[in-house]
Amino acid sequence: MNYPVNPPSQPDLDRGTGSMKITGARVIVTCPGRNFVTLKIETDQGVYGIGDGTMNGREKAVVAYLEEHIIPLLIGRDPRRIEDIWQYLYRGAYWRRGPVTMRAIAAVDVALWDIKAKMAGMPLYDLLGGRSRDRVMVYGHANGSDIAHTVDEVGRYISEGYKAIRAQTGIPGLDKAYGISKDKKFYEPAEGELPLETVWDTRKYLNYVPQLFDKLRDTYGFDHHLLHDVHHRLTPLEAAQLGKRLEPYSLFWMEDSTPAENQEAFRLIRQHTTTPLAVGEIFNTLWDCKDLIQNQLIDYIRTTIVSAGGLTHLRRIADFASVWQVRTGSHGATDLSPVTMGTALHFDTWVPNFGIQEYMRHTPETDAVFPHDYRFDDGFLLCGETPGHGVDIDEALAAKYPYSPKQLPVARLEDGTLWNW
Ligand code: EZ4
Ligand code: CO
């Protein structure tokens, strides 16, 4: 065999049938209530694609990564070569993984899948392999200032048709607990230019939260799925204790019970409780959850399209997870733009090992900036049939909402020590 000693440094950009090229790419930043970073990729065929690169509270880092380091690499490339472009941006950067890099790659990847599905005249789920289900079960966020209030809020979600509800409660003696808002419908924190300071006390929390689920099951029975987000606050042993105490209430999952950097921590939690475990909204690659999955230490993997390098990588994580019966539970708070929500719904419609999809409604202003064809019906979301992922951006309207710096809160213990928010 004769191998070329000096292969051409530039790959042939047109190895497909006929030629197609990326002619332009632009980042659009808009703040219709909260900040979103959107990438629009244009082609010489007139077809364009839309991708989301939003990172709540650190938006401009992704904007710079895209504008300075990625867009110049895209121009002239064949947009149909999604896998090669993904590998080029991931391996080619040398600096792998991380929330900024993987969101920038996700924005490109989703825009390219959008283009490919539009060219094929197919809704994205069809291109992925077709439907595994008719509709996507979602869970909504119920939260109240105390148990009585949260129980009422869960009732409101049940009356709106939700089959699954995440319940978070304020804790007596603790100011501004995680998940508790003034604005019941659209809440997702990111407020002033400096982070809001909240106070945390594990003892008060561990005493109070099991009482919430006791009251919820007492009031509404066991027909609905109930979920709870601990938001990284506990040690592994405390998480194990909470999981055990919640067992009688048969939760769908206990989420993010410890800071997720330490995958080994879940071994301890797992040894002590049968409450299902979910983690991963801050994970960016398969490498962040490989041990958790292959050791069967979790039940649901929560990373999603925008966080983990787009569809190309998320489907790889999902396939890997399916081997160990770990199911998907994609993050879907309002800081993930409608572009990510729409794409996630196509993914959810296809992926065989689907678990559940988080869903928080965006504001009417956000919905108007991002016209989309997905819709809520009786506790489920349905993706549309428009070719592509079904979400667009109204650029003229987007321009009316300029970027506005906002920060996620922080948490401190009562003695002032900085804790995990
Ligand atoms: O804190 O999306 O399950 N949802 C969550 C969210 C996250 C935000 C971070 O930007 O934990 O509330
Ligand atoms: Co969460």
Side-chain angles (χ1 to χ4, degrees):
M1 253 329 251
N2 250 339
Y3 293 97
V5 180
N6 293 308
S9 61
Q10 280 295 312
D12 176 9
L13 291 179
D14 180 20
R15 291 210 192 98
T17 48
S19 80
M20 184 171 180
K21 284 189 183 357
I22 295 172
T23 50
R26 274 177 299 120
V27 180
I28 303 152
V29 181
T30 181
C31 187
R34 61 176 320 120
N35 292 306
F36 296 110
V37 173
T38 307
L39 179 70
K40 182 166 184 173
I41 296 183
E42 288 165 327
T43 69
D44 61 356
Q45 312 276 309
V47 183
Y48 65 86
I50 304 287
D52 174 29
T54 307
M55 178 155 74
N56 195 11
R58 295 291 185 271
E59 296 85 0
K60 289 290 184 89
V62 186
V63 174
Y65 196 102
L66 283 166
E67 288 182 342
E68 305 291 329
H69 305 296
I70 284 194
I71 289 175
L73 302 176
L74 293 178
I75 309 303
R77 246 159 240 291
D78 185 336
R80 296 168 300 186
R81 295 183 58 173
I82 300 176
E83 186 67 49
D84 182 64
I85 291 176
W86 195 96
Q87 300 292 341
Y88 187 70
L89 297 177
Y90 182 80
R91 294 171 195 259
Y94 184 69
W95 310 107
R96 299 180 185 200
R97 309 164 64 182
V100 178
T101 301
M102 298 312 287
R103 273 177 175 74
I105 294 177
V108 174
D109 186 74
V110 167
L112 296 181
W113 278 101
D114 193 27
I115 289 169
K116 191 182 280 291
K118 284 174 176 167
M119 300 278 294
M122 290 179 184
L124 188 51
Y125 72 80
D126 236 346
L127 197 59
L128 291 172
R131 282 186 182 279
S132 294
R133 58 196 54 77
D134 301 324
R135 48 193 190 156
V136 170
M137 183 169 71
V138 298
Y139 69 92
H141 287 202
N143 64 82
S145 51
D146 57 18
I147 288 176
H149 187 196
T150 307
V151 170
D152 287 348
E153 285 298 314
V154 169
R156 197 164 63 81
Y157 274 86
I158 290 173
S159 68
E160 288 176 20
Y162 281 83
K163 313 293 178 246
I165 303 128
R166 186 186 94 158
Q168 307 292 134
T169 177
I171 295 152
L174 277 190
D175 225 18
K176 306 187 189 88
Y178 167 77
I180 311 308
S181 63
K182 292 163 276 171
D183 186 341
K184 286 280 158 281
K185 261 178 137 179
F186 309 117
Y187 162 85
E188 190 48 34
E191 295 179 25
E193 288 200 33
L194 286 175
L196 174 76
E197 304 248 342
T198 65
V199 183
W200 180 253
D201 181 87
T202 297
R203 185 51 36 206
K204 289 179 181 139
Y205 169 81
L206 286 179
N207 284 341
Y208 199 62
V209 161
Q211 298 176 50
L212 167 67
F213 286 93
D214 191 56
K215 190 74 189 163
L216 284 171
R217 287 308 189 198
D218 200 40
T219 309
Y220 302 116
F222 282 74
D223 284 350
H224 296 86
H225 297 299
L226 294 178
L227 302 82
H228 182 67
D229 190 349
V230 185
H231 225 255
H232 325 280
R233 301 294 168 79
L234 301 179
T235 66
L237 194 67
E238 290 160 352
Q241 290 169 354
L242 180 61
K244 270 178 106 159
R245 292 188 62 190
L246 293 176
E247 278 171 25
Y249 314 115
S250 184
L251 263 60
F252 189 92
W253 77 36
M254 177 171 79
E255 172 180 337
D256 285 348
S257 52
T258 58
E261 298 96 311
N262 180 10
Q263 298 188 40
E264 191 64 26
F266 281 77
R267 195 178 293 281
L268 192 148
I269 305 169
R270 193 62 145 182
Q271 275 165 5
H272 291 287
T273 181
T274 57
T275 292
L277 303 175
V279 69
E281 66 185 46
I282 66 163
F283 290 167
N284 309 121
T285 69
L286 176 56
W287 305 101
D288 300 330
C289 48
K290 173 176 81 65
D291 296 349
L292 286 173
I293 292 170
Q294 68 189 359
N295 293 310
Q296 304 189 99
L297 302 180
I298 57 169
D299 302 279
Y300 297 93
I301 180 67
R302 278 184 44 72
T303 189
T304 190
I305 309 282
V306 63
S307 179
L311 272 169
T312 295
H313 193 66
L314 189 65
R315 70 188 300 190
R316 208 148 274 156
I317 295 176
D319 281 342
F320 181 81
S322 74
V323 175
W324 289 278
Q325 289 174 279
V326 173
R327 295 190 286 159
T328 65
S330 292
H331 188 204
T334 46
D335 52 301
L336 289 81
S337 98
V339 176
T340 285
M341 181 53 69
T343 311
L345 291 172
H346 284 272
F347 171 79
D348 296 338
T349 297
W350 159 73
V351 69
N353 49 321
F354 171 73
I356 200 166
Q357 170 68 51
E358 182 178 20
Y359 174 50
M360 288 176 81
R361 286 161 292 189
H362 288 107
T363 60
E365 292 78 15
T366 297
D367 283 338
V369 168
F370 295 96
H372 53 264
D373 65 354
Y374 60 81
R375 62 190 175 86
F376 178 83
D377 181 38
D378 196 32
F380 294 84
L381 276 173
L382 291 88
C383 66
E385 298 294 323
T386 316
H389 56 46
V391 187
D392 208 339
I393 184 164
D394 180 336
E395 292 190 64
L397 195 54
K400 294 192 177 147
Y401 300 105
Y403 172 69
S404 161
K406 293 201 169 52
Q407 300 280 344
L408 281 157
V410 297
R412 290 186 189 276
L413 304 183
E414 286 169 303
D415 70 1
T417 309
L418 198 84
W419 203 243
N420 310 304
W421 180 75

